[in-house]
Amino acid sequence: MRLGPVIKLLGLLVLLPGQGFALTSATINANPDQIRAGLFFDGETVTISGQRSAGQPLLLLIVGPQQTQQIARLGKRNGIWMKGEPHTLQRAPGFLAVTGSKPLAELIKIFDRPLAASGLSAIPEYLPTKGIVNEQVDDQQPAATSTGWSRAYATMLKKQSLLLTDVSLQDNANSGQFSTEIHLPSSAPPGTYRVIVFTRGNGQLITATTRFKLTKSGIVSRLERAAFDQPVLYGIAALLFALMVGWVIGILFNRR
Amino acid sequence: MIHIYLPIAEVSVNLLLLLAIGGGVGFLSGLFGVGGGFLLTPLLIFVGIPPAIAVGSEANQLVAASLSGVIAHWRGGRVDLRMGIMLLVGGLIGSTLGVSIFAWLRDSGQIDIVIKLLYVVLLGAIGAMMMVESVRANLKNLRNKESAEADEKTGAATWRQRLPWQMHFPTSNVTISPLLPIGLGVIVGILAAVMGIGGGFIMVPAMIYLLGMPTAIVVGTSLFQILFVASNVTLQQAMRVQTVDVVLALLLMIGSVLGAQIGVRAGARLKGEELRFLLAFIVLAVCGWMVFNLTSKPDFLFTLVTAGGH
């Protein structure tokens, strides 16, 4: 007996959208998957779309490049506001957007393990799962705990539109298809952005990931490479250029 | 509205806004002979440029702005080259010392507070002194201009004449010891290295009150000295910390060189006392703003210290 057509048919059934069909996997796409930051770059809107089993919970995260950050709290000493001892945040996201099919706190509980398995165990600390990330971290809430520091950092991200916690999700209850749009501001750090969807299917926890890149291009990229790869030449060129501009303008404006 | 993405600052900023900021600061530069760094840095930070990039890039634009200003003053015979070279010698010694002091202060962890306090003390002292003097001079001018100028110079002249190696500076028409401009250059050089500024707002009043130079010559000579300091800072910042954003600098340059030319022309129509009064007003306003910043509760009580990687 030839099994090929049977397998194909089974595969088709699995992929067919609609209630009653439980997908054993989820799909996720980001469009565009390559964002080029040229001289006139002023941010970009990325469309995220995908599919999972209809009616299943969904948590969607967009995590920007993670890097070490040092954060300090200001305190008043002798009448002057000064920095206190800095705290280091390891692998802090440079951008973070989150949305889902249920309240965030509920989704974080459901997907606690797969988050950790994806190396994102620290991410919930940056999310407003225990109350909204305030515009101002209260004086009465010293950032002595790691969560306190993470919340303070998250507030900084939010002020720069680099933390999006109110992204609307278009979720089709019948088909299981979902989509959303996120706006990357121009201050979003260049690098690789991970788009991760956590869901369930056939009683299993399912994770699907895709990526998009934000890279500098054209003259922006060339200037950055020159500044970091050939700093001496770059410095001399910057100086000569400034002298030339100053001289030309000086002569033009002072012709007798 | 056209936005420009800055390659080193990694942020997009409104083109017209940057040109306007450059133009405004350039106007002050041409008018008073100050670099305007003390105004430009906070303005750039306000529009979203990271502080380190703001300091490095404004040094680069300052090269263009000060050179165009020097050319304008040079053609009008208002640059004392001999005095400028003395100041420059002191400035080189001072900035070399200043870099070491900066490193020591940075290691202590409170460099930004030290810089702000230095600003407040210097701006407050210089602004108050200039304001009092310019008001007094204006009042005296109502009676007799010549006697007023003689009066204001008498006190400083006595101790200046006691210093050794008296030298005549024909352009400024003063006879003083070269130790004075060199010493002044050293102090300003140290402050310039520690505070990341050209030092014009300290240099200009010091040249008027300490060296006894005519206000008209002071502006061009100050710009001459700033040109070299800014060139040195540009090279150092580009080579050592990669904080010079040439696109940002270019936009500031275009605005500032145009502004500087207008400033030079406006300055030529104002009397010395009026110029000093205006500068004193601006210096005191900035000082007041910094005191407010240091003592009032910030909007947000946390700040990033360093960003990892690039």
Side-chain angles (χ1 to χ4, degrees):
Chain A
M1 182 183 169
R2 291 180 63 188
L3 290 175
V6 178
I7 290 168
K8 278 182 187 168
L9 182 63
L10 284 173
L12 195 63
L13 286 173
V14 167
L15 289 171
L16 270 173
Q19 254 171 333
F21 292 104
L23 297 185
T24 53
S25 64
T27 58
I28 184 85
N29 289 299
N31 184 33
D33 60 359
Q34 183 79 35
I35 301 166
R36 298 190 184 281
L39 197 57
F40 299 105
F41 175 69
D42 187 27
E44 177 81 57
T45 299
V46 181
T47 303
I48 311 289
S49 60
Q51 187 163 25
R52 93 291 194 191
S53 290
Q56 292 298 326
L58 171 85
L59 172 65
L60 179 65
L61 285 172
I62 298 104
V63 184
Q66 291 173 278
Q67 50 187 203
T68 302
Q69 297 281 10
Q70 278 202 311
I71 184 169
R73 191 171 194 279
L74 299 170
K76 201 169 190 179
R77 285 179 227 160
N78 301 320
I80 294 170
W81 288 91
M82 300 170 80
K83 279 180 203 162
E85 278 298 306
H87 176 82
T88 302
L89 293 170
Q90 302 290 350
R91 295 178 54 76
F95 175 89
L96 188 57
V98 60
T99 187
S101 59
K102 291 182 177 205
L104 203 52
E106 215 175 303
L107 290 169
I108 294 291
K109 270 186 194 168
I110 296 171
F111 298 112
D112 189 31
R113 273 198 230 165
L115 271 167
S118 305
L120 299 169
S121 55
I123 290 299
E125 289 190 12
Y126 300 101
L127 298 175
T129 50
K130 293 172 185 171
I132 300 300
V133 176
N134 295 319
E135 278 300 305
Q136 183 168 328
V137 175
D138 199 317
D139 259 353
Q140 303 307 315
Q141 294 178 311
T145 61
S146 84
T147 306
W149 289 110
S150 303
R151 278 194 59 220
Y153 177 74
T155 310
M156 281 187 208
L157 288 182
K158 198 168 178 66
K159 280 170 180 280
Q160 298 175 65
S161 303
L162 293 170
L163 172 63
L164 309 177
T165 54
D166 49 2
V167 182
S168 66
L169 180 75
Q170 307 296 317
D171 193 4
N172 188 320
N174 294 322
S175 66
Q177 287 176 329
F178 62 89
S179 69
T180 188
E181 286 188 343
I182 57 151
H183 182 73
L184 274 187
S186 70
S187 55
T192 301
Y193 287 68
R194 279 201 289 169
V195 183
I196 311 148
V197 61
F198 298 97
T199 185
R200 273 184 177 155
N202 276 352
Q204 301 284 315
L205 290 166
I206 297 168
T207 305
T209 304
T210 189
R211 288 173 167 78
F212 64 87
K213 274 189 177 179
L214 171 60
T215 50
K216 294 178 185 176
S217 69
I219 185 77
V220 171
S221 169
R222 283 196 289 275
L223 284 173
E224 191 212 19
R225 279 206 305 272
F228 286 88
D229 297 343
Q230 296 171 312
V232 177
L233 276 178
Y234 179 87
I236 292 168
L239 178 59
L240 290 176
F241 182 65
L243 287 170
M244 189 189 74
V245 171
W247 184 76
V248 168
I249 299 289
I251 294 297
L252 280 177
F253 274 82
N254 294 285
R255 278 186 298 188
R256 283 177 182 166
Chain B
M1 283 201 291
I2 301 170
H3 281 73
I4 294 287
Y5 185 69
L6 304 171
I8 310 297
E10 293 182 343
V11 68
S12 174
V13 186
N14 185 287
L15 175 70
L16 293 177
L17 183 64
L18 281 182
L19 290 174
I21 289 173
V25 174
F27 178 78
L28 293 179
S29 174
L31 188 62
F32 301 120
V34 297
F38 67 101
L39 273 177
L40 192 52
T41 305
L43 283 174
L44 289 178
I45 293 169
F46 182 74
V47 298
I49 310 292
I53 309 291
V55 171
S57 307
E58 75 183 46
N60 194 209
Q61 77 83 24
L62 198 50
V63 172
S66 55
L67 179 59
S68 76
V70 165
I71 290 170
H73 285 286
W74 183 272
R75 293 199 162 187
R78 298 189 299 272
V79 179
D80 189 334
L81 194 60
R82 187 183 282 192
M83 189 72 84
I85 289 168
M86 294 292 171
L87 290 164
L88 197 56
V89 169
L92 289 174
I93 299 167
S95 55
T96 308
L97 285 171
V99 170
S100 303
I101 295 170
F102 179 86
W104 178 74
L105 285 171
R106 189 186 52 196
D107 292 344
S108 75
Q110 295 291 355
I111 180 74
D112 48 351
I113 293 294
V114 172
I115 288 172
K116 282 181 185 170
L117 286 174
L118 273 172
Y119 261 114
V120 168
V121 172
L122 285 167
L123 291 173
I126 290 166
M129 189 173 74
M130 289 182 73
M131 182 64 85
V132 168
E133 189 281 328
S134 61
V135 169
R136 193 181 291 168
N138 273 313
L139 290 173
K140 281 182 182 176
N141 265 353
L142 293 174
R143 297 198 311 266
N144 185 329
K145 190 186 173 190
E146 283 182 11
S147 67
E149 282 182 353
D151 286 351
E152 79 188 44
K153 287 181 179 177
T154 308
T158 50
W159 68 266
R160 276 203 305 262
Q161 284 161 3
R162 289 188 206 128
L163 292 170
W165 309 307
Q166 293 287 318
M167 183 188 280
H168 186 63
F169 294 85
T171 312
S172 298
N173 195 26
V174 290
T175 304
I176 52 169
S177 166
L179 291 177
L180 265 179
I182 291 174
L184 175 63
V186 170
I187 293 166
V188 173
I190 290 172
L191 291 173
V194 172
M195 297 163 75
I197 50 168
F201 74 98
I202 299 161
M203 185 74 90
V204 167
M207 286 161 87
I208 295 169
Y209 298 107
L210 201 65
L211 307 185
M213 290 170 66
T215 308
I217 305 292
V218 160
V219 177
T221 311
S222 168
L223 284 173
F224 173 80
Q225 194 262 1
I226 286 171
L227 171 62
F228 287 91
V229 171
S231 298
N232 185 37
V233 173
T234 297
L235 282 176
Q236 296 294 327
Q237 294 271 11
M239 290 190 287
R240 291 163 73 168
V241 282
Q242 291 84 44
T243 52
V244 178
D245 193 315
V246 286
V247 176
L248 172 60
L250 173 65
L251 295 174
L252 293 174
M253 267 177 221
I254 293 169
S256 66
V257 288
L258 296 173
Q261 295 303 323
I262 300 166
V264 167
R265 280 160 174 74
R269 292 178 188 175
L270 290 171
K271 292 176 188 168
E273 308 86 78
E274 291 168 339
L275 272 176
R276 298 203 291 272
F277 180 84
L278 276 174
L279 181 57
F281 179 79
I282 292 168
V283 165
L284 284 177
V286 175
C287 176
W289 181 68
M290 296 202 82
V291 170
F292 177 78
N293 264 344
L294 280 168
T295 55
S296 62
K297 188 179 173 185
D299 288 341
F300 188 57
L301 292 178
F302 293 86
T303 181
L304 284 183
V305 180
T306 51
H310 183 86

